[in-house]
Amino acid sequence: MKQQLIALLDNENNQKYYRYLLLDPLTSVSELDFVGLNNIKDLYGEQAVTPVVRKDLAYDLDACPQLVTLGKPNQELENRLLHFSLMEAKGEILQSKRYVCCWLVSQYEPKIVAKILSEIGMHLTQFLGSIFVPFYEPFRMQLLHQGNLICPEFLADLLSSFVSYSYLTVNKTIETINNLGYKPNPSTIFLSEDAKFYNQHIKKIFDIYLSQANIYIKLDKETTQINLLDLARAYHRACSYGLTNLNDQRTFTIMTLRYGNLLSNSTLKMAIDQAKLNEGSLSERFQAIDRQEFLSIKN
């Protein structure tokens, strides 16, 4: 994985550009960690770090995302910083807030890139109706990316100021959004309703993802096997069917991932309908149903 990042950030073509690391100080790392912002400033100088102003956090620039220069045009990449940023990113997959956001390649200097990142966050507010959209959060970015594969040009166009934008998925793979190299027709660019929904419900989806991850850990299974998009779709189905209680939504989502289309079985559907009227009861109702009913589901 490290070699993949080095190949991306330090190949012959990208050596002529700026290479960046984006960090989010809304979560913290040990002051002993190499990638701690104070350590970065001590080692590389204050000029190595540039705040990315978030409108909702503008009163405290230290709380805003921080853009770290990994390499300047035609200069060596800071391999130690890259190494420890990747180690930190891999270790925080199950955290609700992640410190390491992404790795960027751009022709633009830090202040311009910081401004562009702020503008992207503001631009997304018109689609998602928030004060500021922290699109750079890896969990959110993964759902924006995977949830909008019907129009992959949307994110690529949004990130057109970058040669590449790379982030670590919950599956511990590096996903990269590359520059399109052309300007797409604006009438063909859109963010799907599903992707909007996932981002509007990001906290609940993460809560359910964490529950699924804990199940995997107890079963000694790799959490990287969880398909985040399938989980988000199952949660969407729970909401669309009228389940409003988080525990019911969690039960519906996890059992859907395990067995398939629960609504195709009349016994299970009846239990779900009853839970809509008696919120929070779905788990108990499912426990009272013979497992054979779940196993009989045909997808």
Side-chain angles (χ1 to χ4, degrees), residues 236-266:
H236 194 345
R237 200 173 306 131
C239 294
S240 298
Y241 194 67
L243 292 174
T244 56
N245 177 272
L246 177 57
N247 288 329
D248 290 341
Q249 293 165 342
R250 179 187 290 109
T251 298
F252 183 99
T253 300
I254 290 174
M255 296 299 272
T256 295
L257 293 175
R258 184 178 302 174
Y259 295 107
N261 183 10
L262 305 175
L263 297 171
S264 66
N265 178 285
S266 59

Side-chain angles (χ1 to χ4, degrees), residues 177-223:
I177 302 168
N178 292 304
N179 190 287
L180 288 173
Y182 63 90
K183 182 65 180 174
N185 186 331
S187 64
T188 66
I189 300 297
F190 63 91
L191 184 62
S192 72
E193 292 303 315
D194 285 349
K196 292 178 187 178
F197 178 88
Y198 302 150
N199 271 264
Q200 289 163 350
H201 293 251
I202 199 79
K203 290 183 179 179
K204 282 191 173 183
I205 293 175
F206 179 79
D207 183 285
I208 296 171
Y209 163 76
L210 194 58
S211 296
Q212 181 76 323
N214 287 332
I215 292 172
Y216 271 51
I217 291 169
K218 288 178 182 177
L219 295 174
D220 202 27
K221 294 173 64 176
E222 289 289 336
T223 60

Side-chain angles (χ1 to χ4, degrees), residues 124 127-130 133 135 139-152 154-155 190-202 205 229 232-233 235-236:
L124 278 170
F127 295 96
L128 301 176
S130 302
V133 180
F135 67 94
F139 191 82
R140 186 185 297 271
M141 175 56 84
Q142 186 171 347
L143 282 176
L144 272 172
H145 194 186
Q146 295 181 350
N148 203 52
L149 290 180
I150 191 173
C151 183
F154 177 86
L155 272 180
F190 63 91
L191 184 62
S192 72
E193 292 303 315
D194 285 349
K196 292 178 187 178
F197 178 88
Y198 302 150
N199 271 264
Q200 289 163 350
H201 293 251
I202 199 79
I205 293 175
L229 187 57
R233 285 171 173 161
Y235 167 77
H236 194 345

Side-chain angles (χ1 to χ4, degrees), residues 17 24 31 40-41 55 58 70 84 142 147 180 202 234 239 257 259 264 269 276 285:
Y17 298 116
D24 189 348
E31 61 183 24
I40 291 173
K41 290 176 182 178
K55 182 180 178 182
L70 284 172
F84 284 106
Q142 186 171 347
L180 288 173
I202 199 79
C239 294
L257 293 175
Y259 295 107
S264 66
K269 183 177 182 298
K276 287 164 66 175
R285 293 180 189 281

Side-chain angles (χ1 to χ4, degrees), residues 91-110:
E92 60 186 20
I93 291 295
L94 298 182
Q95 293 180 195
S96 58
K97 283 285 186 184
R98 283 155 67 178
Y99 183 65
V100 177
C101 299
C102 62
W103 298 270
L104 305 162
V105 177
S106 178
Q107 63 179 305
Y108 300 111
E109 62 183 31

